[in-house]
Amino acid sequence: AQRVTQPEKLLSVFKGAPVELKCNYSYSGSPELFWYVQYSRQRLQLLLRHISRESIKGFTADLNKGETSFHLKKPFAQEEDSAMYYCALVRAGNNRKLIWGLGTSLAVNP
Amino acid sequence: GAGVSQSPSNKVTEKGKDVELRCDPISGHTALYWYRQSLGQGLEFLIYFQGNSAPDKSGLPSDRFSAERTGGSVSTLTIQRTQQEDSAVYLCASSLEAGEQYFGPGTRLTVT
């Protein structure tokens, strides 16, 4: 069965420190993976997707098929990065149903 | 253009009453999704509409939950005989067939 695991419910770092939000997945096919972010009092929005291999707001994520991971990283965290982060997987095919992790709440302290 | 909108933004209802939640997707988006976001539970998929295909209802938690999408646009999620465990934020998202999902602001449902 497809599954997305985010092992950390809460992650607290200091401003300027590196941050890594972990995401592991189980899927037998070729997954498409995403990171979504929800800032306080804002709607859920796409942060980045693995197929575009881009950096958004300083965040990057690399798909590691060997480790079935898609960890989100930023070298220097900022206070405005404090938010809820969700890792999600979309199955190949017609049904683009996202399979979600439970989310990691990131707190960046001054 | 306008994003996904949902109404009402907040709904407080008594246990046992029926509620209807509305979602207006982005114009032209063929896919529409309903999710539930409960405290400490993450995001739970409920139902998915894609064009004229039969909806994927595999996430609906019970037969008290149903959803319709009229004319390939607006969708209504109906919860009959609400229970306290139905209290959550209900999110709607829409997408083009193979694109990212755009989320609405959600409807916060409180069953007392």
Side-chain angles (χ1 to χ4, degrees):
Chain A
Q2 299 92 11
R3 185 181 300 124
V4 175
T5 304
Q6 293 180 251
E8 302 139 330
K9 199 169 184 177
L10 296 168
L11 186 61
S12 182
V13 301
F14 286 105
K15 176 183 173 181
V19 63
E20 181 179 70
L21 293 89
K22 291 184 167 53
C23 172
N24 289 89
Y25 66 91
S26 62
Y27 181 61
S28 57
S30 294
E32 187 175 345
L33 284 143
F34 300 80
W35 277 97
Y36 278 78
V37 61
Q38 189 169 27
Y39 301 102
S40 179
R41 296 189 180 85
Q42 294 187 29
R43 61 184 70 188
L44 197 60
Q45 59 185 293
L46 178 68
L47 180 62
L48 54 81
R49 64 178 78 187
H50 89 270
I51 58 172
S52 57
R53 300 186 63 81
E54 57 195 345
S55 173
I56 303 292
K57 300 185 180 183
F59 283 97
T60 59
D62 291 318
L63 178 61
N64 186 322
K65 291 186 178 180
E67 296 182 357
T68 59
S69 68
F70 188 56
H71 303 326
L72 183 68
K73 300 177 184 179
K74 185 169 182 176
F76 308 103
Q78 303 300 313
E79 289 180 68
E80 55 266 30
D81 296 329
S82 297
M84 192 74 178
Y85 291 81
Y86 292 94
C87 183
L89 176 155
V90 167
R91 300 179 305 191
N94 294 327
N95 184 344
R96 303 287 290 178
K97 183 173 74 176
L98 278 166
I99 299 166
W100 296 86
L102 290 180
T104 297
S105 178
L106 174 65
V108 181
N109 304 301
Chain B
V4 177
S5 61
Q6 292 184 244
S7 60
S9 55
N10 280 284
K11 177 72 177 177
V12 180
T13 190
E14 292 180 353
K15 177 181 171 181
K17 295 283 177 81
D18 297 352
V19 294
E20 282 190 355
L21 312 179
R22 178 187 168 105
C23 172
D24 284 87
I26 293 173
S27 177
H29 280 191
T30 56
L32 187 147
Y33 307 78
W34 282 99
Y35 297 92
R36 181 165 69 174
Q37 190 175 30
S38 304
L39 193 62
Q41 298 298 315
L43 282 161
E44 178 186 4
F45 164 77
L46 298 177
I47 188 168
Y48 161 64
F49 296 90
Q50 172 59 59
N52 295 322
S53 303
D56 175 353
K57 303 180 182 180
S58 60
L60 295 178
S62 77
D63 58 9
R64 295 186 295 105
F65 288 72
S66 62
E68 290 184 343
R69 188 178 186 194
T70 54
S73 182
V74 171
S75 177
T76 304
L77 177 69
T78 301
I79 309 173
Q80 296 179 309
R81 305 181 301 282
T82 52
Q83 304 294 313
Q84 287 186 331
E85 61 263 29
D86 299 335
S87 296
V89 176
Y90 289 82
L91 293 173
C92 175
S94 71
S95 72
L96 292 172
E97 190 162 352
E100 74 180 78
Q101 295 185 14
Y102 293 82
F103 282 81
T107 294
R108 182 175 298 278
L109 175 65
T110 304
V111 182
T112 60

